[in-house]
Amino acid sequence: MICYTLWLAACCLLLLLYSFRLRSCCSHGHGPRSYPVIGCLVAFYENRWRLLDWYTELLAASPTQTIVVDRLGARRTVVTANPANVEHILKSNFGNYPKGKPFTDILGDLLGTGIFNVDGELWYAQRKLVSHEFSARALRELEFAVLEDEARERLVPALALAAARGDAVDMQDLLRRFSFDVICRVSLGVDPGCLDPALPAAPRLAAAFDAAAGIIARRGAAPVAAVWKAKRALDVGSERRLREEIAVIHEAVMDLIHIRKKERALLPPSVNGGGRRSDLLSRMIECGYPDEAIRDMVISFIMAGRDTTSSALTWFFWLLTRHRDVEREVLREISAAAGGAGQGQHHHSHAAGGQGKMRVLHAALCETMRLYPPVAWDSKHAAAGDVLPDGTRVERGDRVTYFQYGMGRMESIWGADAAEFSLRRWLSLQAPAAEVSPFKYPVFQAGPRTCLGREMAFVQMKFVASTVLRRFELAPVEEGRVPVFLPLMTAHMAGGLNVTVRSRSPAAAASAVGAAAGN
């Protein structure tokens, strides 16, 4: 009887403490309605199919654009769409907000100690080394050459065939396969041929990346991490499949490293840089990095670039079908740029144009990613207690999330027309995107972890957009459909983007340009 009484008293005390904690959380973060023990589990469950919009609504209603989410089975989470908080997390107090063990555990089996999955000194050392490789002229020139070849030999013929046959094509799938070919050729120096019509199915390496990314995304979305960890320990179900797919990826990359080292050993000492490969893997071998470090780095690079540009381009093409006036403006600019290039070199002109040219296209891409960011949210884990600039209390171990999807929809950041697709907010700037604070537009992160591949991503997106729009007109199969935004590791368009393709004749293109000029 005494034991039972003590146990009951302890339970009551715990409930009181938990209730006090919840009241404290809500008073600082204006989070969803919470209850003792279960927290906001009821509201979370009710909104499980619309979490992005639910969080956005809660953030918009919060005076600080910050909420605290506390629910049974998950660690306390601070979610913010406040630019001052984002700057504090990503820059001012950067050292207190590493990715943290909960995050690195999720990705560790695949990414190992690659730059996207480490913190502290190990991250800093890799960042310094890799930033040098990314700035190398040889790597940039390789990207230009690969983009031109992949578009000329595969992307354009695939769309032309669909136009000739009157077939519908899934642009999201086409762009994903294009991006995977490009990223593998630039990072590994091998061509998986995902867009090769002679291959009836996806190559094994591409299938392994797809499967591994899907399983890891489900790890991150699991309500209780102990479930997938138990499955991994027992080597059952999806975790067994993940181990098998990662083995395929690791084996393929390690084989390439060994082959490339043998090639390098056979080169005579007199061969200068002109006789060597320029892909990232080869450059890292040249620098003497250990095999496993090279493996983890190139896998991280592939994971970061395989779906991000294709996601942005998928939403870009869809938005243009909804805003034909913007499409005409973009086409006018692209046509002018192509006309100004010399015969036979306009492809390279587009690829090498980078950020300084084609302002309308750049604005349209930025606006696309404002509304449909390739990564919907990003989380850090507090190393120590802290107070954010808006007064929200952060406890040691808390998950702290800045919410790109919600930030793009905050009227407090973008004005009353935040929900609209408008290029004015970008074209009014003297230098496109240069004056937009990365802390209110953290699509490429910000601060010390700013994405190293940002410039390369814009080059690829501008090149693909120019290549497709100059030649083809796309029309959605379901004209009135508003696609669902799926926030996986990289955001996808649910059901893909099924379009019919029509070749854009020179006369039609000139007509579109003329219409744009008259508006």
Coordinates of all heavy atoms in Angstrom, one line a residue, residues 146-219:
V146 N 29.2 18.8 -69.6 CA 28.3 17.7 -69.3 C 26.8 18.2 -69.5 O 26.0 17.4 -70.1 CB 28.4 17.2 -67.8 CG1 27.3 16.3 -67.4 CG2 29.7 16.4 -67.7
L147 N 26.5 19.4 -69.1 CA 25.1 19.9 -69.3 C 24.8 19.9 -70.8 O 23.8 19.5 -71.3 CB 25.0 21.3 -68.7 CG 24.9 21.4 -67.2 CD1 25.0 22.8 -66.8 CD2 23.5 20.8 -66.8
E148 N 25.8 20.5 -71.6 CA 25.6 20.6 -73.1 C 25.4 19.2 -73.7 O 24.4 19.0 -74.5 CB 26.7 21.3 -73.7 CG 26.9 22.7 -73.4 CD 28.1 23.4 -73.9 OE1 28.8 22.7 -74.7 OE2 28.4 24.6 -73.7
D149 N 26.2 18.2 -73.3 CA 26.1 16.9 -73.9 C 24.8 16.2 -73.5 O 24.2 15.6 -74.3 CB 27.4 16.1 -73.5 CG 27.4 14.7 -74.2 OD1 27.5 14.7 -75.4 OD2 27.2 13.7 -73.4
E150 N 24.5 16.3 -72.2 CA 23.3 15.6 -71.7 C 22.0 16.1 -72.4 O 21.1 15.4 -72.7 CB 23.2 15.6 -70.2 CG 22.2 14.8 -69.6 CD 22.5 13.3 -69.5 OE1 23.7 13.0 -69.7 OE2 21.6 12.5 -69.3
A151 N 22.0 17.5 -72.5 CA 20.8 18.1 -73.1 C 20.7 17.8 -74.6 O 19.7 17.4 -75.1 CB 20.9 19.6 -72.9
R152 N 21.9 17.9 -75.3 CA 21.9 17.6 -76.8 C 21.6 16.2 -77.1 O 20.8 15.9 -78.0 CB 23.2 18.1 -77.3 CG 23.3 17.9 -78.9 CD 24.7 18.3 -79.4 NE 25.8 17.5 -78.8 CZ 26.7 18.0 -77.9 NH1 26.6 19.2 -77.5 NH2 27.6 17.2 -77.5
E153 N 22.2 15.3 -76.4 CA 22.1 13.9 -76.8 C 20.9 13.1 -76.1 O 20.4 12.1 -76.7 CB 23.3 13.1 -76.3 CG 24.6 13.6 -77.0 CD 24.6 13.5 -78.5 OE1 24.0 12.5 -79.0 OE2 25.2 14.4 -79.2
R154 N 20.3 13.7 -75.1 CA 19.2 12.9 -74.4 C 18.0 13.8 -74.1 O 16.9 13.3 -74.4 CB 19.8 12.3 -73.1 CG 20.8 11.2 -73.4 CD 21.4 10.7 -72.1 NE 22.4 9.6 -72.4 CZ 23.3 9.2 -71.6 NH1 23.4 9.8 -70.4 NH2 24.1 8.2 -71.9
L155 N 18.1 14.9 -73.4 CA 16.9 15.6 -72.9 C 16.1 16.2 -74.1 O 14.9 15.9 -74.2 CB 17.4 16.8 -72.0 CG 16.2 17.6 -71.4 CD1 15.3 16.8 -70.6 CD2 16.8 18.8 -70.6
V156 N 16.8 16.9 -75.0 CA 16.1 17.4 -76.2 C 15.5 16.3 -77.0 O 14.3 16.4 -77.4 CB 17.0 18.4 -77.0 CG1 16.3 18.7 -78.3 CG2 17.3 19.6 -76.2
P157 N 16.2 15.2 -77.4 CA 15.6 14.2 -78.2 C 14.4 13.5 -77.5 O 13.4 13.2 -78.1 CB 16.7 13.2 -78.3 CG 18.0 14.0 -78.3 CD 17.7 15.1 -77.3
A158 N 14.5 13.4 -76.1 CA 13.3 12.7 -75.4 C 12.1 13.6 -75.5 O 11.0 13.1 -75.8 CB 13.7 12.5 -74.0
L159 N 12.2 14.9 -75.4 CA 11.1 15.8 -75.5 C 10.6 15.9 -77.0 O 9.4 16.0 -77.2 CB 11.5 17.2 -75.0 CG 11.6 17.3 -73.4 CD1 12.2 18.6 -73.0 CD2 10.3 17.1 -72.7
A160 N 11.5 15.9 -77.9 CA 11.2 16.0 -79.3 C 10.4 14.7 -79.7 O 9.4 14.8 -80.5 CB 12.4 16.1 -80.2
L161 N 10.8 13.6 -79.2 CA 10.0 12.3 -79.5 C 8.6 12.4 -78.9 O 7.7 12.0 -79.6 CB 10.8 11.1 -78.9 CG 10.2 9.8 -79.2 CD1 10.2 9.5 -80.7 CD2 11.0 8.7 -78.5
A162 N 8.5 12.9 -77.7 CA 7.2 13.0 -77.1 C 6.3 14.0 -77.9 O 5.1 13.7 -78.1 CB 7.3 13.5 -75.6
A163 N 6.9 15.1 -78.4 CA 6.1 16.0 -79.2 C 5.7 15.4 -80.5 O 4.6 15.6 -80.9 CB 7.0 17.3 -79.5
A164 N 6.6 14.6 -81.1 CA 6.3 14.0 -82.4 C 5.2 13.0 -82.3 O 4.3 12.8 -83.1 CB 7.5 13.4 -83.0
R165 N 5.2 12.2 -81.2 CA 4.2 11.2 -81.0 C 2.9 11.6 -80.3 O 1.9 10.9 -80.3 CB 4.8 10.1 -80.1 CG 5.9 9.3 -80.8 CD 6.5 8.2 -79.8 NE 7.4 7.3 -80.5 CZ 8.1 6.4 -79.8 NH1 7.9 6.2 -78.5 NH2 9.0 5.6 -80.5
G166 N 3.0 12.8 -79.7 CA 1.8 13.3 -79.0 C 1.7 12.6 -77.6 O 0.6 12.6 -77.0
D167 N 2.8 12.1 -77.1 CA 2.7 11.4 -75.8 C 2.8 12.4 -74.7 O 3.4 13.5 -74.8 CB 3.9 10.4 -75.7 CG 3.8 9.3 -76.7 OD1 2.7 9.0 -77.2 OD2 4.8 8.6 -77.0
A168 N 2.2 12.0 -73.6 CA 2.5 12.8 -72.3 C 3.8 12.3 -71.7 O 4.2 11.1 -71.9 CB 1.3 12.5 -71.4
V169 N 4.4 13.2 -71.0 CA 5.7 12.9 -70.4 C 5.7 13.5 -69.0 O 5.1 14.6 -68.7 CB 6.9 13.4 -71.2 CG1 6.8 14.9 -71.3 CG2 8.2 13.0 -70.6
D170 N 6.3 12.7 -68.0 CA 6.4 13.2 -66.7 C 7.7 14.1 -66.5 O 8.8 13.5 -66.5 CB 6.4 12.1 -65.7 CG 6.5 12.5 -64.2 OD1 6.6 13.7 -64.0 OD2 6.5 11.6 -63.3
M171 N 7.5 15.4 -66.5 CA 8.7 16.2 -66.5 C 9.5 16.0 -65.2 O 10.7 16.2 -65.2 CB 8.3 17.7 -66.6 CG 8.0 18.2 -68.0 SD 9.4 18.0 -69.2 CE 10.5 19.2 -68.5
Q172 N 8.8 15.8 -64.1 CA 9.6 15.5 -62.9 C 10.5 14.3 -63.0 O 11.7 14.4 -62.6 CB 8.6 15.3 -61.7 CG 9.3 15.0 -60.4 CD 8.4 15.1 -59.2 OE1 8.4 16.0 -58.4 NE2 7.6 14.1 -59.0
D173 N 10.0 13.3 -63.5 CA 10.8 12.1 -63.7 C 11.9 12.3 -64.7 O 13.1 11.9 -64.5 CB 9.9 10.9 -64.2 CG 10.7 9.6 -64.5 OD1 11.3 9.1 -63.5 OD2 10.8 9.2 -65.6
L174 N 11.6 13.0 -65.8 CA 12.7 13.3 -66.8 C 13.8 14.2 -66.2 O 15.0 13.9 -66.4 CB 12.0 14.1 -68.0 CG 12.7 14.1 -69.3 CD1 12.7 12.6 -69.9 CD2 12.0 15.0 -70.3
L175 N 13.4 15.2 -65.5 CA 14.4 16.1 -64.9 C 15.2 15.4 -63.8 O 16.4 15.7 -63.6 CB 13.7 17.3 -64.3 CG 13.0 18.3 -65.3 CD1 12.1 19.2 -64.6 CD2 14.1 19.0 -66.1
R176 N 14.6 14.5 -63.0 CA 15.3 13.8 -62.0 C 16.4 12.9 -62.7 O 17.5 12.8 -62.2 CB 14.4 12.9 -61.2 CG 13.5 13.7 -60.2 CD 12.6 12.8 -59.4 NE 13.4 12.0 -58.5 CZ 13.0 10.9 -57.8 NH1 11.8 10.5 -58.0 NH2 13.8 10.3 -57.0
R177 N 16.0 12.2 -63.7 CA 17.0 11.3 -64.4 C 18.1 12.2 -65.1 O 19.3 11.8 -65.0 CB 16.3 10.5 -65.4 CG 15.4 9.4 -64.8 CD 14.9 8.4 -65.8 NE 13.7 8.9 -66.5 CZ 13.5 8.8 -67.8 NH1 14.4 8.3 -68.6 NH2 12.4 9.3 -68.3
F178 N 17.7 13.3 -65.6 CA 18.7 14.2 -66.2 C 19.7 14.7 -65.1 O 20.9 14.6 -65.3 CB 18.0 15.4 -66.8 CG 18.9 16.5 -67.3 CD1 19.4 16.5 -68.6 CD2 19.3 17.6 -66.5 CE1 20.3 17.5 -69.1 CE2 20.2 18.6 -66.9 CZ 20.6 18.5 -68.3
S179 N 19.2 15.1 -64.0 CA 20.0 15.6 -62.9 C 20.9 14.5 -62.3 O 22.1 14.8 -62.0 CB 19.2 16.2 -61.7 OG 18.5 17.3 -62.2
F180 N 20.4 13.3 -62.3 CA 21.3 12.2 -61.7 C 22.4 11.9 -62.7 O 23.6 11.7 -62.3 CB 20.4 10.9 -61.5 CG 21.2 9.9 -60.7 CD1 21.3 10.0 -59.4 CD2 21.8 8.8 -61.4 CE1 22.0 9.0 -58.6 CE2 22.4 7.8 -60.7 CZ 22.6 7.9 -59.3
D181 N 22.1 11.9 -64.0 CA 23.2 11.7 -65.0 C 24.3 12.8 -64.8 O 25.5 12.5 -64.8 CB 22.6 11.8 -66.4 CG 22.0 10.5 -66.8 OD1 22.1 9.5 -66.1 OD2 21.4 10.4 -67.9
V182 N 23.8 14.1 -64.7 CA 24.8 15.2 -64.6 C 25.6 15.1 -63.4 O 26.8 15.2 -63.4 CB 24.0 16.5 -64.7 CG1 24.9 17.7 -64.3 CG2 23.4 16.7 -66.1
I183 N 24.9 14.9 -62.2 CA 25.7 14.9 -61.0 C 26.7 13.7 -60.9 O 27.8 13.8 -60.3 CB 24.7 14.8 -59.8 CG1 25.4 15.4 -58.5 CG2 24.1 13.5 -59.5 CD1 25.6 16.9 -58.5
C184 N 26.3 12.6 -61.5 CA 27.3 11.4 -61.5 C 28.4 11.7 -62.4 O 29.6 11.3 -62.1 CB 26.5 10.1 -61.9 SG 25.5 9.4 -60.5
R185 N 28.2 12.3 -63.5 CA 29.3 12.6 -64.4 C 30.2 13.6 -63.9 O 31.4 13.6 -64.1 CB 28.7 13.0 -65.8 CG 28.0 11.9 -66.5 CD 27.3 12.4 -67.8 NE 28.3 12.8 -68.8 CZ 27.9 13.1 -70.1 NH1 26.6 13.2 -70.4 NH2 28.9 13.4 -70.9
V186 N 29.7 14.6 -63.1 CA 30.5 15.6 -62.6 C 31.3 15.2 -61.3 O 32.4 15.5 -61.1 CB 29.7 16.9 -62.2 CG1 30.5 17.9 -61.5 CG2 29.2 17.5 -63.5
S187 N 30.6 14.4 -60.5 CA 31.2 13.9 -59.2 C 32.0 12.7 -59.3 O 33.0 12.5 -58.7 CB 30.1 13.8 -58.1 OG 29.1 12.8 -58.5
L188 N 31.5 11.7 -60.1 CA 32.1 10.4 -60.2 C 32.9 10.2 -61.5 O 33.8 9.3 -61.6 CB 31.1 9.3 -60.1 CG 30.3 9.1 -58.8 CD1 29.3 8.0 -58.9 CD2 31.2 8.9 -57.6
G189 N 32.6 11.0 -62.5 CA 33.2 10.8 -63.8 C 32.7 9.6 -64.6 O 33.3 9.1 -65.5
V190 N 31.5 9.1 -64.2 CA 30.9 8.0 -64.9 C 29.5 8.4 -65.3 O 28.8 9.3 -64.7 CB 30.8 6.7 -64.0 CG1 32.2 6.2 -63.7 CG2 30.0 7.0 -62.8
D191 N 29.0 7.8 -66.4 CA 27.7 8.1 -66.9 C 26.7 7.0 -66.6 O 26.8 5.9 -67.3 CB 27.8 8.4 -68.4 CG 26.5 8.7 -69.1 OD1 25.5 8.9 -68.4 OD2 26.4 8.8 -70.3
P192 N 25.7 7.2 -65.7 CA 24.8 6.1 -65.4 C 23.8 5.9 -66.5 O 23.1 4.9 -66.6 CB 24.1 6.6 -64.1 CG 24.2 8.1 -64.2 CD 25.6 8.3 -64.9
G193 N 23.6 6.9 -67.4 CA 22.7 6.7 -68.5 C 21.2 6.6 -68.2 O 20.5 5.9 -68.8
C194 N 20.8 7.4 -67.1 CA 19.4 7.3 -66.7 C 18.4 7.8 -67.8 O 17.3 7.4 -67.9 CB 19.2 8.1 -65.4 SG 19.9 7.4 -64.0
L195 N 18.9 8.7 -68.6 CA 18.1 9.2 -69.7 C 18.3 8.5 -71.1 O 17.8 8.9 -72.1 CB 18.3 10.7 -69.9 CG 17.3 11.7 -69.2 CD1 17.7 13.1 -69.6 CD2 15.9 11.4 -69.6
D196 N 19.1 7.5 -71.0 CA 19.4 6.8 -72.3 C 18.2 5.9 -72.6 O 17.8 5.0 -71.9 CB 20.6 5.8 -72.0 CG 21.1 5.2 -73.3 OD1 20.3 5.1 -74.3 OD2 22.3 4.9 -73.4
P197 N 17.6 6.2 -73.8 CA 16.4 5.4 -74.2 C 16.6 3.9 -74.4 O 15.7 3.1 -74.4 CB 15.9 6.1 -75.5 CG 17.1 6.8 -76.0 CD 17.9 7.2 -74.8
A198 N 17.9 3.6 -74.6 CA 18.2 2.2 -74.8 C 18.1 1.3 -73.6 O 18.1 0.1 -73.6 CB 19.7 2.0 -75.4
L199 N 18.1 2.0 -72.4 CA 18.0 1.3 -71.1 C 16.6 1.3 -70.7 O 15.9 2.3 -70.5 CB 18.9 2.0 -70.1 CG 20.4 2.0 -70.3 CD1 21.1 2.8 -69.2 CD2 20.9 0.6 -70.3
P200 N 16.0 0.1 -70.6 CA 14.6 -0.1 -70.2 C 14.2 0.3 -68.8 O 13.1 0.6 -68.5 CB 14.3 -1.5 -70.5 CG 15.6 -2.2 -70.3 CD 16.6 -1.3 -70.8
A201 N 15.2 0.2 -67.9 CA 15.0 0.5 -66.5 C 16.1 1.3 -65.9 O 17.1 1.5 -66.5 CB 14.9 -0.9 -65.7
A202 N 15.8 1.9 -64.7 CA 16.9 2.7 -64.1 C 18.1 1.9 -63.8 O 18.0 0.7 -63.3 CB 16.3 3.3 -62.8
P203 N 19.3 2.4 -64.0 CA 20.5 1.7 -63.6 C 20.5 1.3 -62.2 O 19.9 2.0 -61.3 CB 21.6 2.7 -64.0 CG 21.0 3.6 -65.0 CD 19.6 3.7 -64.6
R204 N 21.3 0.3 -61.8 CA 21.3 -0.2 -60.4 C 21.7 0.8 -59.5 O 21.1 0.9 -58.4 CB 22.2 -1.5 -60.3 CG 22.2 -2.1 -58.9 CD 20.8 -2.7 -58.6 NE 20.7 -3.3 -57.3 CZ 20.3 -2.6 -56.2 NH1 19.8 -1.4 -56.4 NH2 20.2 -3.2 -55.1
L205 N 22.7 1.6 -59.8 CA 23.2 2.7 -58.9 C 22.1 3.7 -58.6 O 21.9 4.1 -57.5 CB 24.5 3.3 -59.4 CG 25.1 4.4 -58.5 CD1 25.5 3.7 -57.2 CD2 26.3 5.0 -59.2
A206 N 21.4 4.1 -59.7 CA 20.3 5.1 -59.5 C 19.2 4.5 -58.6 O 18.7 5.2 -57.8 CB 19.8 5.5 -60.9
A207 N 18.9 3.3 -58.9 CA 17.8 2.6 -58.1 C 18.2 2.5 -56.6 O 17.4 2.7 -55.7 CB 17.5 1.2 -58.7
A208 N 19.5 2.3 -56.4 CA 20.0 2.2 -55.0 C 19.9 3.5 -54.3 O 19.5 3.6 -53.1 CB 21.4 1.7 -55.0
F209 N 20.3 4.6 -55.0 CA 20.1 5.9 -54.4 C 18.7 6.3 -54.1 O 18.3 6.8 -53.0 CB 20.8 7.0 -55.3 CG 22.2 7.3 -55.0 CD1 23.2 6.7 -55.8 CD2 22.6 8.0 -53.9 CE1 24.5 7.0 -55.6 CE2 23.9 8.3 -53.7 CZ 24.9 7.8 -54.5
D210 N 17.8 5.9 -55.0 CA 16.4 6.2 -54.8 C 15.8 5.5 -53.6 O 15.1 6.1 -52.8 CB 15.6 5.8 -56.1 CG 15.6 6.8 -57.2 OD1 16.0 8.0 -56.9 OD2 15.4 6.5 -58.4
A211 N 16.1 4.2 -53.5 CA 15.6 3.4 -52.4 C 16.2 3.9 -51.1 O 15.4 4.0 -50.1 CB 16.0 1.9 -52.7
A212 N 17.5 4.1 -51.1 CA 18.1 4.6 -49.8 C 17.6 5.9 -49.4 O 17.3 6.1 -48.2 CB 19.6 4.7 -50.0
A213 N 17.4 6.8 -50.3 CA 16.8 8.1 -49.9 C 15.4 8.0 -49.4 O 15.1 8.7 -48.4 CB 16.9 9.1 -51.2
G214 N 14.6 7.2 -50.0 CA 13.2 7.0 -49.5 C 13.2 6.4 -48.1 O 12.4 6.9 -47.2
I215 N 14.0 5.4 -47.8 CA 14.0 4.8 -46.5 C 14.5 5.8 -45.4 O 14.0 5.9 -44.3 CB 14.8 3.5 -46.5 CG1 14.2 2.5 -47.4 CG2 15.0 2.9 -45.1 CD1 15.0 1.3 -47.7
I216 N 15.6 6.5 -45.8 CA 16.1 7.5 -44.8 C 15.1 8.6 -44.6 O 15.0 9.1 -43.4 CB 17.5 8.0 -45.3 CG1 18.6 6.9 -45.1 CG2 17.9 9.3 -44.6 CD1 19.9 7.3 -45.6
A217 N 14.4 9.0 -45.6 CA 13.3 10.0 -45.4 C 12.3 9.5 -44.4 O 11.8 10.3 -43.6 CB 12.7 10.4 -46.7
R218 N 12.0 8.3 -44.5 CA 11.0 7.7 -43.5 C 11.6 7.6 -42.1 O 10.8 7.7 -41.2 CB 10.5 6.3 -44.0 CG 9.6 6.4 -45.3 CD 8.9 5.1 -45.6 NE 9.8 4.1 -46.0 CZ 10.1 4.0 -47.3 NH1 9.7 4.8 -48.2 NH2 10.9 3.0 -47.7
R219 N 12.9 7.4 -42.0 CA 13.5 7.5 -40.7 C 13.3 8.8 -40.1 O 12.9 8.9 -38.9 CB 15.1 7.3 -40.9 CG 15.6 5.9 -40.9 CD 17.1 5.9 -40.9 NE 17.7 4.6 -40.8 CZ 19.0 4.4 -40.8 NH1 19.9 5.5 -40.9 NH2 19.5 3.2 -40.7

